[in-house]
Amino acid sequence: TSIAMVFLNKYLLDSPSLRLDAPLFVTFFQCALTAALCLGLSLGAACGAPCAGLPTLRLDPKVSRSVLPLSAVFIGMVTSNNLCLKHVGVAFYNVGRSLTTVFNVLLSYLLLKQTTSLYALLACGVIIGGFWLGVDQEGAEGTLSWTGIFFGILASLCVSLNAIYTKKVLPVVDGSIWRLTFYNNINACVLFFPLMVLLGEFRTLYHFDKLGSPSFWGVMTLGGVFGFAIGYVTGLQIKFTSPLTHNVSGTAKACAQTVLAVIYFEETKSFLWWTSNLMVLGGSFAYTWVKGLEMRKVQEDPNVKSGERNETGV
């Protein structure tokens, strides 16, 4: 689902045949469709349809205001993700926004005063090394976009902040991921409007020659459906396996996505370019593995201090 959405978004954001320079509108449409699907499935569940686990959704202005800080971070995350994808190739996209784990460690220390083990820090060092090697190799091949790198770093930061704010805001929606998704996307749609006006995207849409094309709206709708589905399948995977399994499979997904992109776009990459990808993927896997072992140790040792228990659980 995630791989399909990345390729679809790359087409919508940077296709020479489409020529649509409105990344905020693409993101806005996907948020609006996600909110609509959440509401539609909730109504279906209320009518007896097989939509297990979906609570009744209604818009409460008080809850919406409480979720607003998370929504601001969420907008930064999805927008910077898409802008990074717009300016870099799909093959480099994983490396371009690979610093999420590093920001997780940094923000956990700065905001939550939680330390990280030496082995986890070494894994972060491998990720940083892979990131810089990837940037160097993109420059050597003449395909480097510093704009894309900037938005990739910003996306990594926003993903980390999004996780922290999600934990803080979940109690407001009674711990329901579906309610949080609904409010988050409703708020995002409202906040996107002034941004689209400010950046002149409505003018761009007015002059867009495929605005009445059914195939264009078909791809837009498909992208929105995949965006909604990511939240659903992620929740299912974590529910039936574990967060560790989810992170490991995410690393495997990034590897498959990179190989598919190189094959699909018929690109030729150097040995060092592939080395940078392997360093990022290997460092991410190592970090996940180390944190998994630390969490298991905490669960098995009843004498571990509560502060250590909290640290390894993040």
Side-chain angles (χ1 to χ4, degrees):
T1 303
S2 178
I3 290 173
M5 186 176 181
V6 168
F7 277 88
L8 276 170
N9 276 347
K10 183 61 178 176
Y11 169 77
L12 290 167
L13 295 164
D14 194 38
S15 171
S17 61
L18 198 62
R19 299 190 306 277
L20 174 62
D21 188 19
L24 292 185
F25 171 72
V26 172
T27 313
F28 161 80
F29 181 85
Q30 291 174 353
C31 290
L33 189 58
T34 297
L37 286 170
C38 284
L39 185 60
L41 290 175
S42 174
L43 293 173
C47 296
C51 303
L54 278 174
T56 301
L57 297 176
R58 63 180 185 276
L59 193 59
D60 185 337
K62 184 179 179 181
V63 175
S64 184
R65 284 194 299 270
S66 300
V67 177
L68 199 57
L70 171 63
S71 301
V73 174
F74 174 74
I75 280 183
M77 179 182 72
V78 294
T79 303
S80 52
N81 265 327
N82 280 350
L83 287 172
C84 174
L85 184 58
K86 177 179 174 64
H87 290 96
V88 304
V90 176
F92 185 68
Y93 178 59
N94 177 58
V95 174
R97 48 183 296 279
S98 61
L99 299 181
T100 299
T101 302
V102 178
F103 280 118
N104 282 342
V105 171
L106 186 61
L107 292 175
S108 293
Y109 179 75
L110 293 177
L111 301 181
L112 306 176
K113 305 303 179 185
Q114 294 170 349
T115 56
T116 304
S117 68
L118 176 62
Y119 289 118
L121 289 176
L122 288 175
C124 288
V126 173
I127 294 172
I128 294 172
F131 172 79
W132 281 116
L133 180 59
V135 171
D136 176 73
Q137 289 305 297
E138 283 288 301
E141 294 183 3
T143 55
L144 178 65
S145 167
W146 283 108
T147 303
I149 296 298
F150 169 77
F151 283 117
I153 295 173
L154 184 61
S156 300
L157 174 61
C158 288
V159 169
S160 299
L161 286 172
N162 186 71
I164 292 173
Y165 275 94
T166 296
K167 286 188 177 183
K168 294 178 68 174
V169 171
L170 265 175
V172 176
V173 292
D174 302 320
S176 170
I177 290 294
W178 288 112
R179 290 188 70 200
L180 183 62
T181 300
F182 175 70
Y183 278 104
N184 214 6
N185 282 277
I186 288 289
N187 284 348
C189 289
V190 174
L191 294 174
F192 268 126
F193 256 96
L195 291 174
M196 288 190 292
V197 172
L198 187 65
L199 295 177
E201 291 205 356
F202 287 109
R203 192 184 314 112
T204 302
L205 289 170
Y206 180 78
H207 295 288
F208 182 52
D209 59 349
K210 295 183 179 62
L211 197 60
S213 169
S215 60
F216 166 69
W217 288 109
V219 176
M220 286 282 287
T221 302
L222 192 59
V225 169
F226 276 119
F228 169 80
I230 284 174
Y232 182 65
V233 296
T234 297
L236 278 180
Q237 186 180 48
I238 293 175
K239 177 181 178 181
F240 289 107
T241 57
S242 68
L244 176 62
T245 302
H246 172 65
N247 289 336
V248 171
S249 69
T251 303
K253 167 259 172 185
C255 181
Q257 179 178 292
T258 300
V259 173
L260 283 172
V262 170
I263 295 172
Y264 180 78
F265 293 106
E266 298 180 347
E267 298 173 339
T268 303
K269 300 297 184 181
S270 67
F271 173 77
L272 287 177
W273 188 93
W274 285 108
T275 301
S276 72
N277 276 267
L278 290 175
M279 288 176 67
V280 166
L281 294 171
S284 300
F285 180 83
Y287 178 86
T288 302
W289 187 260
V290 167
K291 298 303 285 186
L293 292 176
E294 291 175 358
M295 290 173 67
R296 188 180 304 168
K297 182 180 178 182
V298 168
Q299 292 167 354
E300 292 174 353
D301 188 354
N303 298 318
V304 175
K305 296 178 183 179
S306 59
E308 295 177 2
R309 188 179 299 271
N310 289 335
E311 184 272 316
T312 54
V314 171

